[in-house]
Amino acid sequence: MELILKNVKKKDLPVLKSLAKSLGFEIEKEDKPYNPEFVKEILEAREELKQGKGIKMTLEEIDKLCK
């Protein structure tokens, strides 16, 4: 059986690790890297903003787009 803990506070992690170890549980840490294409899109968007290619919107305008 697998158990996945989400949203664990950093201060609680050592306690959970210690408890798991004392109970003989196996602990695996899985790092999931970002999708390279997604990272490329974000970096390109940041560069476009630096070049002044972005637009400014109010929260109300954004809210209208979401409805």
Side-chain angles (χ1 to χ4, degrees):
M1 176 165 73
E2 286 185 16
L3 174 67
I4 299 173
L5 302 174
K6 294 184 178 184
N7 300 321
V8 175
K9 295 178 184 173
K10 281 189 176 184
K11 67 178 184 79
D12 296 333
L13 192 56
V15 175
L16 292 171
K17 283 184 175 182
S18 176
L19 177 62
K21 186 175 179 180
S22 69
L23 294 172
F25 295 162
E26 180 181 337
I27 300 173
E28 290 183 15
K29 182 178 178 184
E30 184 178 320
D31 290 326
K32 296 183 180 180
Y34 288 111
N35 178 329
E37 189 63 33
F38 173 72
V39 172
K40 180 181 173 188
E41 288 178 22
I42 298 298
L43 294 175
E44 287 173 355
R46 282 186 181 172
E47 190 59 37
E48 288 176 2
L49 284 174
K50 287 180 185 176
Q51 297 171 3
K53 295 182 181 178
I55 61 169
K56 291 186 178 184
M57 298 180 76
T58 64
L59 288 176
E60 290 80 22
E61 291 171 326
I62 294 171
D63 191 43
K64 287 179 185 176
L65 287 175
C66 296
K67 291 182 179 183

